[in-house]
Amino acid sequence: MTPVRTAIVTGAARGIGAATARRLAKDGYAVAVLDLDEAASEAVAATIRAAGGSAIGVGVDVADAEQVAAGVARVADELGPPVVLVNNAGIIRDNLIFRMTEADWDSVMNVHLRGAFLMTRACQAHMTEASFGRIVNLSSSSAQGNRGQANYSAAKAGLQGFTKTLAIELGRFGVTANAVAPGFIQTDMTAATAERIGVPFEEFLAHAASQTPVGRVGQPEDIAATISFLCSEEAGFVSGQVIYVAGGPLD
Ligand code: NAP
């Protein structure tokens, strides 16, 4: 019997991360639910355990090197060496460029880019040692440019280059790296955008659905299903790719 493998999902206390943690647990992984708030992470982990899975909640700020090192060490100790990493933690600090502050810029770069770097660096030794690893980074359709998101689109485009480089460096150790770039997904993040621009969320969702070829907005489970495939054994020849999961074509 194959031993249970351990997966880490960051930003997994809600939204896409929580759906991914649940999905990977169903796929048979022991899952570490990482998020800023340990209690919120543990609440998701408890629902996974209640459904028969194996999970722990761990409080980690992915932009903090010491917290990352301690959190990954704890996961390795309590669940086993993490060989699957989903860099999902994210924030938005939207503003048109003339109003964008340095803090808006730095905080977005720190969570998305520095966070993915620190988490990957901390996990890769476990993967190379196991001669197996799966890294999935959350990019976005905004990587192609989006009004009010100079910081976020730069970070999400940066994650695509990061992903391709990981694929080149780590491939010979049995480690793949891919990026999933969601379109509009119904989560607290998109609800916050609707609130910021003063549009009722239902109206915002209906508009987004009307602009999407499949005629609906995405759900966190749509993204989790794609990540599940990329983390599977059979996806071992898919690496360095950016997969848009957006209900229609994007390059
Ligand atoms: P969400 O509902 O806002 O969830 C993001 C999670 O990340 C939150 O639980 C948040 O914690 C956590 N987080 C933020 N900063 C963190 C840090 N420094 N360390 C650890 N955890 C942190 O977002 P989502 O919509 O599920 O998005 C998940 C990912 O998909 C993000 O990378 C996002 O950019 C990307 N994405 C989303 C969409 C979409 O339409 N929703 C589209 C494209 C890409 P707090 O709650 O404590 O802040």
Side-chain angles (χ1 to χ4, degrees), residues 135-226:
I135 299 166
V136 179
N137 298 315
L138 269 289
S139 180
S140 168
S141 54
S142 296
Q144 301 193 0
N146 197 23
R147 189 178 164 79
Q149 293 196 315
N151 49 2
Y152 184 80
S153 62
K156 291 308 199 186
L159 279 168
Q160 297 188 5
F162 178 64
T163 301
K164 290 174 193 200
T165 302
L166 294 177
I168 291 166
E169 289 187 13
L170 298 174
R172 68 196 177 94
F173 301 105
V175 180
T176 66
N178 291 286
V180 171
F184 189 109
I185 311 298
Q186 186 174 351
T187 68
D188 291 347
M189 185 177 273
T190 39
T193 302
E195 196 176 338
R196 187 179 63 80
I197 62 175
V199 176
F201 195 34
E202 286 309 316
E203 219 175 277
F204 197 54
L205 291 173
H207 177 74
S210 75
Q211 302 300 303
T212 305
V214 301
R216 67 171 177 90
V217 298
Q219 296 300 321
E221 291 71 21
D222 290 312
I223 306 305
T226 307

Side-chain angles (χ1 to χ4, degrees), residues 50-108:
S54 169
I56 58 170
V58 184
V60 168
D61 176 350
V62 295
D64 182 306
E66 274 180 26
Q67 289 188 35
V68 165
V72 171
R74 185 180 150 201
V75 172
D77 203 41
E78 293 183 23
L79 285 183
V83 294
V84 170
L85 171 64
V86 182
N87 284 311
N88 167 81
I91 59 169
I92 45 173
R93 295 289 181 270
D94 294 357
N95 248 325
L96 293 174
I97 190 69
F98 74 95
R99 274 202 293 259
M100 188 169 284
T101 66
E102 289 163 51
D104 292 334
W105 180 269
D106 290 343
S107 51
V108 166

Side-chain angles (χ1 to χ4, degrees), residues 227-243:
I227 294 171
S228 166
F229 166 68
L230 291 171
C231 293
S232 69
E233 189 86 44
E234 65 191 346
F237 206 55
V238 182
S239 198
Q241 300 304 303
V242 178
I243 301 183

